[in-house]
Amino acid sequence: MKNSNNNITSIGHAGFVYSTKDFIIIMDPWLSSEGAYFNSWYQFPRNHHLEIDIIELISKDARKKYIYLSHHDKDHIDISFLESIKHENIIYFIPNFSKTGEMIKELVDICGIDKNKIYMFHDEEKIKIFEHEIIFYIQDSTRESDSSIFIKSKKFNFLNTNDCKIHDRLNYVTRKEGVIDLLAMQFSG
């Protein structure tokens, strides 16, 4: 989906690339052909062919780059893909859950990401990236931990809830942040 300032591209499963003239946010890239959960889950439809394109985007594009990882489930944090990219020019957004240690350990110890490149956000935290506001929402309970990202610009608002169950907060979010022009959320048919 495009409008004059924003481009949102689905890269399969819960993955999106949100790009502007100044920056790129890659959300939950699950691109490797190895599947997840001991090779028992695979993307449908397949998106493995996009891995090369996203790696090229990361390595060759001059815009500021961010990767948002919504939660620790293996279909949202693709260790194989993350090991294959250069991390120097990327800031990683991850939720500050009550139990985030394993996620940090994998990113730092396995993927080789500098801990200083990891930004841990809190529920309803807002940050500014150029002319955009990024608002994070967290669901953190004993049963499930997940997060959502709301990208707000002057003309277009995008909320990606992926698997995050903030349905009961959507009225609150729209009252606080305005109309949601595009909403992405989990569907299990």
Side-chain angles (χ1 to χ4, degrees):
M1 170 176 218
K2 291 184 183 185
N3 72 21
S4 59
N5 299 317
N6 310 306
N7 183 13
I8 301 169
T9 306
S10 171
I11 56 172
H13 196 61
F16 291 94
V17 175
Y18 185 100
S19 57
T20 73
K21 63 181 178 55
D22 299 309
F23 68 89
I24 299 165
I25 299 177
I26 301 168
M27 301 173 219
D28 286 335
W30 181 31
L31 300 164
S32 64
S33 61
E34 298 155 11
Y37 299 106
F38 305 105
N39 305 79
S40 63
W41 285 27
Y42 289 90
Q43 306 91 324
F44 182 79
R46 289 181 171 201
N47 64 347
H48 314 140
H49 62 286
L50 297 175
E51 183 173 23
I52 294 166
D53 295 337
I54 300 300
I55 290 170
E56 193 169 291
L57 177 71
I58 289 169
S59 64
K60 294 183 179 174
D61 196 289
R63 291 175 284 183
K64 295 279 254 177
K65 291 178 242 0
Y66 304 89
I67 293 181
Y68 162 71
L69 302 169
S70 62
H71 60 294
H72 192 260
D73 288 357
K74 302 301 180 199
D75 58 326
H76 292 263
I77 182 167
D78 183 349
I79 296 299
S80 176
F81 169 74
L82 294 173
E83 286 178 314
S84 70
I85 61 175
K86 295 180 180 169
H87 305 288
E88 306 87 47
N89 299 319
I90 303 170
I91 299 294
Y92 290 82
F93 296 137
I94 68 166
N96 191 1
F97 293 136
S98 54
K99 301 174 200 160
T100 307
E102 185 179 343
M103 194 173 185
I104 294 275
K105 186 171 177 49
E106 282 186 335
L107 293 174
V108 173
D109 295 348
I110 298 171
C111 299
I113 298 169
D114 180 344
K115 201 171 187 173
N116 295 319
K117 298 280 187 177
I118 299 172
Y119 183 86
M120 294 176 58
F121 58 82
H122 298 276
D123 187 37
E124 294 192 42
E125 183 170 346
K126 287 185 181 188
I127 62 171
K128 188 116 171 132
I129 301 178
F130 295 95
E131 69 281 354
H132 288 69
E133 266 191 328
I134 313 297
I135 305 104
F136 300 100
Y137 294 94
I138 292 178
Q139 167 203 358
D140 192 14
S141 66
T142 53
R143 195 172 154 261
E144 276 190 68
S145 295
D146 203 337
S147 69
S148 296
I149 184 171
F150 190 110
I151 304 174
K152 185 176 179 176
S153 70
K154 290 178 184 168
K155 297 181 180 176
F156 189 82
N157 295 331
F158 173 54
L159 175 60
N160 178 8
T161 66
N162 65 79
D163 300 342
C164 188
K165 313 233 178 351
I166 62 164
H167 312 105
D168 58 335
R169 293 170 73 184
L170 288 179
N171 282 335
Y172 167 76
V173 170
T174 55
R175 279 194 313 272
K176 190 173 175 204
E177 303 303 338
V179 173
I180 299 167
D181 296 300
L182 181 62
L183 172 66
M185 64 176 22
Q186 176 193 36
F187 171 74
S188 298

